[in-house]
């Protein structure tokens, strides 16, 4: 099947520098959602995306994706847009027409739709309590579709019809060129409507198969930020329902945001206000505290993450306890039974089994062994202003509070560093390292004043 996606609109009501189809839903452009849904029907073929406003921005964003582009230099209606794509089609198979600003159409709906239409005409419809703004589906006394009338051209009686056109249709490949050539623009908008093709099919006796969608948000278009936000919530509710069906516990299904993929094991619990981005894996019995942000991270079984923790491209081992207010930056790899407490930041570091960094510390570019205790306020000083260096803390070490470890430096196993030390040379095994200046009292020392 050929797939043509109309994506030439400006999206003036978005009030944005971005083309409408690059506006984000679930943290990816609306057009990307449509391309992903259509993939199962393409079987190796490239979809044709009709672009216009912001054409170069759209081309650039999807430069690494197998997409063909057709330019609609002037926006003269949907039939005119599809006509621009015809020279780029690879064969005479049927043409599925989709829209870059109708992002939540599902792969399952498209598969059912394509099977039902076969080699004939397919028309996706939806029934709305308030059909204002949509083209109405016209049927004869036997229930067969005989045409579509746009609201601006509809009579008062036709406007009472609640079954409306979604714009998504399938047109036989051997008919589409001829029908497009017959489309005129004698309507109030002076545009070439793709919906005219349905009338041509009815006149020629070509069977028109209709599929009525159950969820109206699947076929809802986006023209402004209010509609975009409405679809965002619909998307999040759908993803939350899927998680709960798999056994995930949510404190509030209305207060979770999944902006990528979230894979959960059994008995996972997620508190309110959490955001998941990229590819996130939560294994069995993981608990995520409120208002945490987890991005492209794997959290192993039986781990507890307390409130307001932020993870980015990290790995957390089993039975760890993290937070509250902890930050794991890219390259943080925590083994099992690790404790990372409040206001601790870990970056590009490996933390061994059972080690603890519980308070107000920065651990960067560090290789830490097992059963290490890091006192409050400890810093691995990994940057000299030009280069980064690593700190090594071996097994069973105790680092006192307010310690600075100036890399490159190694604290060998079973050693203790006294509080307040600045460690600039390696510490041998099984020893106590203490560095404290002799106390000095300066009488009459003037306190600095503001100049």
């Amino acid at each position: 099947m050929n797939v043509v996606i109309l994506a030439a609109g400006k999206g003036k009501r978005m009030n944005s520098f971005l083309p409408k189809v690059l506006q984000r839903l679930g943290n990816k452009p609306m057009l990307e959602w449509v391309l992903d849904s259509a993939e199962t029907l393409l079987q190796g073929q490239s979809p044709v995306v009709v672009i216009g406003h912001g054409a170069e921005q759209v081309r650039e964003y999807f430069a690494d994706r197998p997409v063909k582009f057709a330019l609609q230099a002037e926006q003269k209606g949907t039939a005119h847009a599809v006509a621009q794509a015809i020279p780029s089609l690879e064969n005479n198979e049927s043409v599925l027409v989709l829209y870059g600003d109708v992002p939540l159409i599902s792969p399952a709906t498209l598969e059912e739709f394509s099977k039902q239409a076969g080699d004939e005409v397919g028309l996706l419809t939806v029934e709305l309590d308030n059909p204002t703004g949509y083209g109405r589906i016209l049927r004869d006394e036997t229930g067969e579709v005989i045409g579509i009338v746009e609201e601006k051209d509809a009579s008062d009686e036709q406007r009472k019809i609640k079954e409306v056109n979604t714009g998504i249709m399938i047109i036989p490949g051997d008919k589409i060129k001829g029908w497009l050539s017959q489309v005129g623009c004698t309507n109030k908008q002076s545009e070439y409507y793709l919906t005219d093709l349905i009338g041509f099919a009815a006149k020629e006796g070509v069977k028109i198969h209709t599929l009525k969608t159950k969820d109206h948000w699947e076929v809802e278009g986006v023209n402004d930020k209010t509609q975009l936000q409405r679809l965002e919530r619909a998307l999040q509710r759908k993803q939350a329902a899927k998680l709960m069906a798999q056994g995930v516990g949510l404190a509030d299904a209305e207060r979770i945001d999944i902006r990528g993929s979230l894979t959960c094991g059994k008995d996972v619990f997620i508190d309110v206000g959490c955001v998941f981005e990229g590819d996130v894996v939560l294994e069995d019995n993981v608990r995520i505290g409120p208002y945490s942000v987890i991005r492209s991270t794997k959290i192993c079984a039986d781990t507890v993450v307390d409130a307001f923790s932020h993870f980015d491209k990290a790995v957390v081992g089993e039975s760890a306890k993290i937070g509250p207010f902890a930050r794991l930056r890219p390259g943080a790899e925590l083994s099992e039974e690790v404790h990372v407490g409040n206001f601790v930041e870990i970056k590009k570091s490996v933390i061994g089994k059972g080690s603890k960094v519980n308070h107000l510390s920065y651990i960067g570019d560090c290789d830490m062994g097992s059963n290490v205790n890091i006192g409050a306020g400890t810093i691995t000083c990994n940057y000299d202003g030009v280069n980064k260096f690593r700190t090594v803390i071996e097994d069973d070490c105790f680092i006192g509070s307010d310690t600075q470890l100036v890399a490159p430096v190694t604290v060998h196993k079973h050693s203790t560093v006294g509080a307040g030390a600045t460690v600039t040379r390696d510490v041998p095994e099984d020893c106590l390292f203490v560095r404290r200046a002799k106390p000095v009292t300066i009488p009459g020392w003037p306190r600095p004043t503001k100049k």
Side-chain angles (χ1 to χ4, degrees):
M1 177 171 288
N2 292 297
V3 173
V4 174
I5 303 173
L6 307 189
K10 184 176 182 179
K12 184 178 180 181
R13 282 178 278 172
M14 287 291 181
N15 289 311
S16 171
F17 294 114
L18 282 176
K20 180 164 67 168
V21 296
L22 292 186
Q23 300 291 326
R24 287 183 172 265
L25 178 75
N27 205 34
K28 68 180 182 182
M30 290 194 289
L31 178 54
E32 190 170 352
W33 285 96
V34 183
L35 287 167
D36 289 346
S37 291
E39 265 188 358
T40 54
L41 302 178
L42 288 167
Q43 297 182 350
Q45 294 186 91
S46 298
V48 181
V49 177
V50 181
I51 52 178
H53 290 287
E56 290 310 310
Q57 289 175 277
V58 178
R59 285 182 192 272
E60 183 179 354
Y61 188 90
F62 294 101
D64 297 330
R65 191 157 182 157
V67 174
K68 292 181 177 181
F69 293 100
L71 181 64
Q72 187 187 22
E74 295 182 80
Q75 279 68 60
K76 297 181 180 180
T78 49
H80 177 257
V82 173
Q84 310 314 301
I86 295 299
S88 300
L89 300 182
E90 298 180 14
N91 51 49
N92 288 324
E93 297 296 328
S94 294
V95 179
L96 169 64
V97 180
L98 299 172
Y99 296 81
D101 61 356
V102 182
L104 294 187
I105 185 68
S106 72
T109 295
L110 291 181
E111 285 189 33
E112 183 182 355
F113 184 45
S114 65
K115 288 178 182 177
Q116 185 169 310
D119 295 327
E120 297 173 311
V121 173
L123 183 62
L124 198 63
T125 71
V126 64
E127 194 162 305
L128 300 175
D129 292 334
N130 180 10
T132 302
Y134 289 88
R136 309 306 202 272
I137 303 299
L138 305 180
R139 295 180 182 269
D140 62 18
E141 61 278 2
T142 66
E144 294 294 323
V145 174
I146 56 173
I148 301 171
V149 60
E150 297 299 327
E151 183 171 72
K152 291 182 179 180
D153 303 306
S155 65
D156 291 341
E157 193 63 30
Q158 289 171 333
R159 287 178 183 174
K160 295 178 182 178
I161 298 171
K162 293 187 176 182
E163 185 185 14
V164 302
N165 173 39
T166 67
I168 296 172
M169 59 180 70
I170 294 173
I171 307 298
D174 60 347
K175 297 285 188 181
I176 190 166
K177 291 181 182 178
W179 287 347
L180 285 173
S181 67
Q182 299 177 46
V183 177
C185 58
T186 56
N187 51 67
K188 292 184 179 180
Q189 292 292 94
S190 297
E191 290 185 351
Y192 297 90
Y193 291 150
L194 189 63
T195 50
D196 289 355
L197 273 60
I198 300 302
F200 300 154
K203 287 180 182 178
E204 292 186 20
V206 178
K207 177 69 174 177
I208 302 170
H209 300 269
T210 59
L211 177 66
K212 193 178 293 185
T213 58
K214 297 175 183 177
D215 298 308
H216 66 85
W217 47 260
E218 263 201 81
V219 292
E220 188 172 341
V222 174
N223 292 304
D224 56 35
K225 294 292 176 63
T226 300
Q227 291 174 326
L228 186 64
Q229 188 275 335
R230 187 162 63 238
L231 282 196
E232 180 73 47
R233 295 325 311 159
L235 171 65
Q236 297 305 334
R237 281 193 293 271
K238 175 186 175 185
Q239 294 183 121
K242 184 178 178 181
L243 286 176
M244 291 186 290
Q246 295 168 353
V248 176
L250 301 180
D252 187 346
E254 292 291 329
R255 288 190 284 171
I256 181 174
D257 283 85
I258 303 166
R259 303 168 186 170
S261 68
L262 175 58
T263 304
C264 296
K266 294 184 181 300
D267 297 314
V268 169
F269 177 78
I270 300 170
D271 215 321
V272 299
C274 292
V275 177
F276 300 91
E277 297 182 349
D279 297 322
V280 176
V281 176
L282 307 179
E283 292 188 348
D284 297 343
N285 297 308
V286 167
R287 298 181 67 84
I288 306 296
Y291 302 103
S292 294
V293 179
I294 316 289
R295 180 183 298 115
S296 300
T297 292
K298 180 179 180 181
I299 302 177
C300 294
D302 302 310
T303 288
V304 175
V305 177
D306 283 334
F308 296 99
S309 294
H310 286 210
F311 299 173
D312 186 6
K313 298 177 183 174
V315 177
V316 180
E318 293 184 5
S319 302
K321 181 168 174 47
I322 315 294
F325 297 99
R327 184 182 182 197
L328 303 184
R329 290 171 57 191
E333 297 183 20
L334 280 55
S335 300
E336 59 267 35
E337 301 173 21
V338 166
H339 287 197
V340 174
N342 47 286
F343 302 105
V344 171
E345 179 178 351
I346 297 178
K347 166 250 176 189
K348 209 172 183 179
S349 297
V350 178
I351 310 298
K353 179 179 178 180
S355 291
K356 298 178 181 179
V357 191
N358 275 328
H359 317 282
L360 303 156
S361 295
Y362 170 70
I363 306 297
D365 296 277
C366 178
D367 296 301
M368 187 183 299
S370 60
N371 299 312
V372 172
N373 188 87
I374 303 293
T378 294
I379 299 171
T380 58
C381 306
N382 55 339
Y383 185 50
D384 66 1
V386 180
N387 302 299
K388 294 285 183 74
F389 299 95
R390 293 191 74 79
T391 298
V392 177
I393 305 172
E394 294 184 348
D395 296 345
D396 301 305
C397 287
F398 186 98
I399 309 298
S401 297
D402 197 27
T403 295
Q404 296 84 46
L405 298 144
V406 183
V409 70
T410 298
V411 180
H412 290 280
K413 61 180 65 174
H414 311 301
S415 288
T416 299
V417 176
T422 299
V423 183
T424 58
R425 63 176 185 265
D426 290 357
V427 177
E429 290 186 22
D430 297 301
C431 71
L432 170 65
F433 178 94
V434 179
R435 176 180 285 179
R436 293 181 182 137
K438 182 179 179 181
V440 176
T441 301
I442 305 175
W445 180 74
R447 189 175 289 172
T449 57
K450 186 174 182 180
K451 296 181 181 180

